[in-house]
Amino acid sequence: MERIINEHLVIRHLRESDIAPIVAGEIAQGWHSTPQKLEERLAHVAAGRAVAFAAVWDGVPVGYVSLYDGPIHGPFVGRGYPEIVDFNVLEKYRCRGIGSALLGVCEDLAATRTDTVTLGVGLHCGYGAAQRLYVLRGYVPDGSGIWADSNIAEPYTMVENGDGLVLYMSKKLK
């Protein structure tokens, strides 16, 4: 699969050769990044659990996302909805339509199987751009509140504002 978005942007399946430049780009912007996360995504693709896409800008991999058959954590487990996982666009390439293009490919694929797609978004400021994009694209919280490390965060308890603090959202597809 390859979708040409414009003269600069192509969305295609994630390849092993994309890992090194993506990880280098994440490290250059100050993120703690290792190849293992993307290697795991490709292993899940090989096992038939997911599809992974890369955004390629002028020949350079600058973003990625995976679409899983269904979630393993959160309020949507067992409902038959696909889940968007690990969505990232390198910061210096944002505000060019890359994130929307990646999400669009996932939503189009999900729509061939169901009327709803789901995701979980982190709550700290590092996820701010994704939070805004999801709302602008029509994703709404599921109403279960925030989750901390795969469990509902009970009211009036202390939780760490790290990557494990998540709000689950869904979108009805046309």
Side-chain angles (χ1 to χ4, degrees):
M1 175 260 151
E2 182 172 286
R3 184 180 292 181
I4 299 170
I5 306 301
N6 59 42
E7 67 274 10
H8 299 285
L9 180 61
V10 173
I11 306 297
R12 60 161 169 73
H13 289 288
L14 183 70
R15 301 175 184 160
E16 189 172 330
S17 61
D18 297 331
I19 295 174
I22 289 171
V23 169
E26 290 178 341
I27 290 170
Q29 65 191 25
W31 293 4
H32 174 72
S33 184
T34 65
Q36 284 74 26
K37 175 178 66 173
L38 292 171
E39 290 167 350
E40 180 179 308
R41 300 289 177 234
L42 287 176
H44 292 167
V45 168
R49 294 180 47 203
V51 179
F53 300 103
V56 180
W57 186 271
D58 289 338
V60 178
V62 299
Y64 55 94
V65 67
S66 295
L67 182 68
Y68 280 75
D69 291 334
I72 59 171
H73 304 293
F76 300 111
V77 171
R79 293 193 186 177
Y81 301 141
E83 181 179 43
I84 294 171
V85 175
D86 203 19
F87 165 67
N88 284 298
V89 174
L90 295 176
E91 291 170 352
K92 70 181 186 179
Y93 290 94
R94 292 182 183 169
C95 298
R96 300 179 190 195
I98 296 169
S100 284
L102 281 168
L103 289 175
V105 168
C106 288
E107 292 166 1
D108 291 348
L109 181 57
T112 66
R113 296 183 276 162
T114 183
D115 68 346
T116 303
V117 66
T118 69
L119 55 81
V121 63
L123 295 180
H124 67 65
C125 63
Y127 293 97
Q131 294 165 1
R132 289 180 45 80
L133 181 59
Y134 296 148
V135 170
L136 292 171
R137 289 187 62 88
Y139 287 83
V140 296
D142 79 298
S144 66
I146 61 172
W147 289 61
D149 298 318
S150 305
N151 297 298
I152 291 177
E154 295 298 325
Y156 308 104
T157 60
M158 299 292 287
V159 293
E160 180 179 334
N161 189 15
D163 290 340
L165 198 60
V166 174
L167 179 68
Y168 286 96
M169 306 176 86
S170 66
K171 179 180 179 177
K172 285 288 184 188
L173 304 169
K174 296 178 183 179

